[in-house]
Amino acid sequence: MRREPNVSRVPVSVRRVPGTFYILIIMISLASITIPGFGTVSNLLNILLQGSFLAIVACGATLAIISSGIDLSVGTVLSLSGVVTGLALHAGIPIALAILSGVLTGLICGIITGSLVAFVGLEPFIATFGMMSMAQGLGLVLSNGASIPGFQESFRWFGEGVVWKVPVPLIIALVIVACIWWLLRHTRLGLYIYAIGGSEEVAGWSGIEVGRCKLALYSISGCLAGIAGVLLAARMNSGHPTVGVGWEMDAIASVVIGGTPLTGGRGGVIGTMVGVAIVSVLRNILNMLRLSSPWQITLIGAIVVIAIGLDILLRRWRLALEG
Amino acid sequence: MYQRSQQIQTLTHNEISKGVATEVFGGSGSRFLLLVGLIVVLSFIAPNFLSLNNFINVFRQASLLLIMSIGMTLVILTGRGGIDLSIGSVLALSSCMAASALKAGLPVTVSIIIGLSIGALCGLVNGALVTMVGLPAFIATFGMMQIARGAVLLYMKGAIIYGFSPAFRFIGAGHLFGLPMPVIVAGVLFAVFTFVLYRTPFGKEVYAIGANRIAAELSGVRVNRVLLTVYTISGAMAACAGLVYISRLNAAESVIGQLFELQAIAATVIGGTSFRGGEGGLIGTIAGALIITFLNNGMNLLGISSLWQLFVLGSVIVSGVTFDMYFWHRSR
Amino acid sequence: MGDGPLLKMVGITKEFPGVKALKGVDFELRAGEVHVLVGENGAGKSTLMKILSGVYRPDSGRILINGKEVQITSPRKAQESGIATIYQEFNLIPYLSIVQNIFLGRELMTNTAIPRMNYREMRVKAKELLDSLGIQISPDTLVKDLSMAQRQMIEVAKALSLEARILIMDEPTSALTSREIEHLFDIVRALKASGMGIIYISHRLEEIERIGDRVTVLRDGEVIGTKDVSGLSTEELITMMVGREIGDLFPRERVSKGEVALKVEHLSRRNVVKDVSLEVHYGEIVGLAGLVGSGRTELARLIFGADRFDHGEIVISGRRVKGDHNPSASVRSGLSFLPEDRKEQGLCLSLSVANNVILASLRRLFPHRITSPRREMNVTLDYVRKLRIAIPSPFRAVKSLSGGNQQKVVLAKWLCTQSKVFIFDEPTRGIDVAAKAEIHGLMNELAEQGAAILMISSELPEILGMSDRIYVMHEGRIVKEFTRDEATQEEILRYAMGGVGGAA
Amino acid sequence: SILAGKQYEIAFIVKSLTNPFWIDMKAGAESAAKDLNVKLQTMAPVKADNVEEQIRMIEDLIQRKIDAIVLAPADTKGIIPGIEKANQAGVPVVIVNTKAAGGKIVSFVGAENFDAATMIAERVVEKLNGKGKVVILEGVPAAQTAIDRKNGFLSVLKKYSGIEILASQTANFQRAEGMMVMENLLQRFPHIDAVLCANDEMALGALEAIDAAGRLKEMIVTGFDANRDAVVAVRDGRLFLTCDQNSAAQGSEGVRAAVRYLNGESVPARIVTKVILVDKTNVDSYLKKYGIK
Ligand SMILES: Nc1ncnc2c1ncn2[C@@H]1O[C@H](COP(=O)(O)OP(=O)(O)OP(=O)(O)O)[C@@H](O)[C@H]1O
Ligand SMILES: Nc1ncnc2c1ncn2[C@@H]1O[C@H](COP(=O)(O)OP(=O)(O)OP(=O)(O)O)[C@@H](O)[C@H]1O
Ligand SMILES: [Mg+2]
Ligand SMILES: [Mg+2]
């Protein structure tokens, strides 16, 4: 039930690789043996490219969940900022400004949810649920319910370009993940997010300005959703008002699969990346097997449950052995 | 004002009733004011809103959400990330199975029992994954959500079962004492579970587990058993909602119930039940479910364009609860 | 030292819904003094201190530091004004390490181009701090892995690291044993000598004369008086606190002991509990003494079924417990266990007093599975009166009670089960003298009625005063058994510290 | 196939597999595949109508070195990058049902949703003698077919001054939502002459609501897709009409086009499947097709 005294150098909250990592390895090895075309470099890059967008969004979700909150709005904010970017580009605004407008859209959404959570004291679920509806609605209204297609090449580079064979979105995602990792591991804000997740009251008593931290973290989450939205628009060469439907679930699932509990206070972004990898690899495998969507749906559920269940049982078993 | 010297000796009947009432209504009483406010506003601006027919109509529409939210409220009350994402899929699975039982010519009662048992079974599996394997509720029920949905899609192969016997249709489309059956079903279930939650040891244990799981366990509460029961109830409620649903719709298909979990969670949380666990309760959930349904109804009546509807829904919920926090909870 | 007072609080009032916690309190602290604040449970001590540390805003009143009025609007402000606090309820975050907790809110940063947290330096400083407090734990240990006593010491370390001018200590010793208390007092004396002003809250009256310079008594939110410690007798102090004389603090009488109620043989778990055998008879109170971390709590948890044991056997009321030993089975077989950590393990803080009190007895009180508010209230009020729990209504959430009253609620919960065998882990932690006497009286009554009680306590006077027999634990083993007459404070300590027989 | 000495592997990506319309199309495609001895796999996004997922599927299939892709895009424009990827990898793409606005494709097989919708609206106006109050139930916002159908309806209705559009609301292509939205609209409008629905599912839901309110006589309801239940409703005189895009033919023609292309034969750039309005007069053949007596 409690206490194995833990002696280690690194602050433990950020250190552990989740057990699901090994599940990921097993999944990948099995797939490369059995599925032709899976184990190729180009397919791995393909998976990484596909996972980049979710990875960016899931970083934000990780912050929210570590603080024992939640961010349901990431999916629709992503759609919204794609639409805004698209509109901006069509209006002939320079690319840099258009991108900025998309990212800012995300940031503003994040600031709104953040203020609602931090200063009004709304439950994160309600605030972000509201934002989820609002961003979706706004996206539909702005785009008039249709996609906004056709951008110039230089913009599309952000979604499709490669640098030394590495897709641009992947590079951006890696940079963002590294930043968030740094944030959680080495900055005050990061530590405070853990502290707030552990106990908001105690964090306040220790002189942490809880409200400002929450505002910051939801803003970051919104901003990341904005970035992902812009990149996705570039990749799809269109801003689509419903493209992000359901992404919040994928993001939250990745976070939880990665070992950050919904109750907050621990976990980290490395784990989340394992979660993102599991989700993306699983999708790729199922597509490669060309399974129809009902089977895909079923298997995603079953594999997630089995994988994490196994991880927990193995850990328990190991603990019993060590004892 | 209370003084140490006047140690409380006894409580009058009145004081007890008042105390119980505050306990039951908890922090969610003010959400009723929000609901009333919404109704008042809508009756001024929405044409044909303020009519008995429309209210019956809204209650009928809210009843499904309410039935599902009963289970969801119990689950969320148990705290520690307690959540049931699977209810939408379980609803689809159990009601499609019941429908195909009906089509196969089984009696109505048997089909209903089949449907309910499948729902309860799914819930039980959720509960077992949470308690025995120790999966986070999010993962366990996320898995069940996918598996049940996949199963029903595979089973139905995209087909739709259409046209039920009048006996079965009565549950969803019939009337009793001038009230639509769904409203009656929801009302009865609601009454039963409110009683269970506030007047049985089980209900107290649910709250205790939510408030502090370790303390509850050390007080001899059989935590796992209670959790199993709660998830089972949630599954059964989903099935129950599903049966009413297909009976009303006169058809069963595999895609029903998508995103219902989010609606049920929203109704629960807007009703004042907190993810922290042990706070809130069923009474608020009614307010939550009605707020959502009245909003949708009002927007249809107002003829708000589809594109704007989501935006309006989100902003009304956020500003409503904000208002509530400011003028009610802050002033205390 | 300084001329004017270091701190002055004038006319502080604070009202919670239904409770006037403070009614115009004046308080004064000089530099270089230890000012003890005493009073019954719920008198308003912690509230006053929380106002000083920025957790609550007062309804009215002024706070002056060095004669200058200050507005303490947040804990941060309090820290900036030089006030450090050791809260009564713990103020640590379980999943952060000791270092992170100690420096929370004031992390040291590197002066590199991109500053980041300087864990290396913080670790070194934390280590120094821990060493100076005599704590031998790695600073990277997670707080969740610490015992109550260890956490309490970390609290102290955290407050000290602030290097404040004013240090508030709200019951810092309630989970400590004498060795740590000695250590703490040495530190307090050193701080005092350096000119710090210390506000010290405690229910252990013997500590007052050992460490205090002045004492202020609070009752029902009002100051009864401030006195110099020298020349103040305990009786006088108690009368000021309670407004009346109290009975014998340790009213233990001998009763003839009955059958064996609880028997433990060769019980072991990992490295924490090693081959422990003991027995407790009906009608007997058995004390379990030992130093911090000696394994007493762990032993109790094993007996209760909260943790699994590796070897050994347990017999409760003649029945051997089997593999499926768990808390609910224990409760049903008539065993009660009052845990030491009321916040984490004892209470459902957001629930009402009534719901907490009846939680462990639901099956007994409502065999037909339908509860009755009237019955709940009557039962609850019974214990509220018996234990003198100060609450305006049993519907009040437990989290709004004072620390001592919360402890009484936990006690009430277990008394309500009407068990025959009790394990009390630090039962009077944070409880005022008057109430302590009453609780001891209740334990006596229980024993007279034939209950068996195993009492863990870090307060040696309590162990000596209440027990019929005493076991002493050291590093997971029972190293000595005393009868009531053989035992003395010195002897117990000697064994507890491993001075005899055990590996020292 | 036999000529090439190996069995072609073709993937058929539709918008969802939870709706009879797509199931029919899948059946059509599969029967053609069987005739032609092709290995066919039908796939659909896990989230129905999600174009981004469709793109991911195309990418994954390219990795798997598929021979050809038959595709029903969830979004006319959003799908283009996916088609372009396939173009780059040299995988031929046949589009069915919904047009793609760019990329190199072998052929487009399908009817025009827009045109079909105008046909329906024309018939409704005719029935109402150019005068009446009309409600539209739209599909999933931002889904291409939903947009096309709605615009088709509007293009006709707007032309007649006697036609008043009371409301145009979404019910997300779903039966239950169709019922719920209709219930609310029935509260709002004391008189409605016609309800135009962007698919049969919503129409059937709306019918339940109208029936329950006892106002079936007052208005006509139209659907879209001619699925089994809708055909029955037409027979019973509850549904005024629905329209058959012949989804099975779209599927089979799509697969045939792909195989012909792989075999090096020439394929027309546009293969039109006919739209047939299904009403009382021709419902019998559909009843027979579904085996309903
Ligand atoms: N947050 C709160 N809400 C409502 N009432 C409160 C709150 N905090 C304290 N009180 C009440 O204020 C009074 C004073 O409590 P306080 O905690 O200051 O007592 P104390 O002197 O520290 O007692 P103890 O010795 O038991 O710790 C009590 O009656 C308590 O119930
Ligand atoms: N929460 C904990 N996590 C990890 N180890 C612990 C914890 N509590 C105690 N220990 C360790 O277990 C052993 C026995 O601790 P236990 O709490 O049973 O002792 P105790 O005599 O009750 O002391 P205390 O006064 O600290 O409660 C000690 O080695 C201690 O360091
Ligand atoms: Mg106190
Ligand atoms: Mg202990």
Side-chain angles (χ1 to χ4, degrees), chain D residues 97-99 108 111-122 144-156 159 224 243 245 270 275:
Chain D
N97 181 264
T98 307
K99 283 190 175 160
F108 169 66
E112 288 280 6
N113 275 299
F114 183 90
D115 296 346
T118 56
M119 285 165 67
I120 293 176
E122 294 284 5
Q144 194 64 42
T145 35
I147 298 169
D148 290 347
R149 291 175 191 178
K150 179 185 166 194
N151 289 341
F153 290 149
L154 289 178
S155 72
V156 174
K159 283 197 302 211
F224 203 120
C243 97
Q245 299 190 52
R270 177 87 166 82
V275 175

Side-chain angles (χ1 to χ4, degrees), chain B residues 230-275:
Chain B
V230 164
Y231 281 94
T232 308
I233 290 174
S234 179
M237 286 299 107
C240 187
L243 292 172
V244 173
Y245 194 74
I246 60 166
S247 152
R248 193 155 110 73
L249 205 59
N250 200 16
E253 54 178 325
S254 44
V255 293
I256 55 177
Q258 264 162 1
L259 293 186
F260 276 18
E261 60 280 352
L262 214 56
Q263 290 211 20
I265 298 171
T268 306
V269 179
I270 291 170
T273 299
S274 157
F275 281 111

Side-chain angles (χ1 to χ4, degrees), chain B residues 1-4 7-9 11 13 19-20 23 199-201 204 208 211-212 215 217-220 222, chain C residues 23 41 220 304 327-328 343-345 347 352 355 360 369-371 374 376 385 389-391 395 413-414:
Chain B
M1 194 95 326
Y2 161 74
Q3 298 285 310
R4 169 178 298 270
Q7 183 97 42
I8 11 163
Q9 294 299 322
L11 290 174
H13 187 72
V20 171
E23 201 156 80
R199 291 294 297 277
T200 65
K204 298 207 175 287
N212 186 343
E217 187 166 6
L218 290 181
S219 302
R222 280 181 266 191
Chain C
K23 309 166 190 165
N41 294 130
D220 279 349
F304 187 61
S328 85
K343 199 170 162 192
E344 299 269 318
Q345 301 172 7
L347 292 167
S352 68
N355 279 336
R369 302 255 167 141
I370 292 181
T371 60
R374 171 150 293 274
E376 286 170 32
R385 284 190 295 264
I389 306 179
I391 43 164
F395 290 105
K413 172 166 80 181
W414 290 112

Side-chain angles (χ1 to χ4, degrees), chain B residues 2 4, chain C residues 14-22 38-50 56 88-89 170-171 201-203 218 221 342 390-392 396-408 430-432:
Chain B
Y2 161 74
R4 169 178 298 270
Chain C
K14 175 77 190 170
E15 186 175 340
F16 295 111
V19 185
K20 256 200 168 139
L22 297 173
V38 294
E40 280 178 295
N41 294 130
K45 307 179 293 293
S46 298
T47 306
L48 186 66
M49 291 305 108
K50 282 184 182 168
Y56 297 145
Q88 180 177 16
E89 300 306 332
D170 196 348
E171 303 195 25
I201 300 177
S202 176
H203 290 295
L218 222 53
R342 58 175 169 254
I391 43 164
R396 200 37 77 92
V398 171
K399 67 175 162 224
S400 74
L401 303 192
S402 77
N405 283 309
Q406 290 183 356
Q407 182 72 19
K408 291 185 194 171
I431 283 186
D432 69 46

Side-chain angles (χ1 to χ4, degrees), chain B residues 94-106:
Chain B
S94 52
S95 57
C96 283
M97 301 302 266
S100 68
L102 279 170
K103 274 288 144 178
L106 292 180

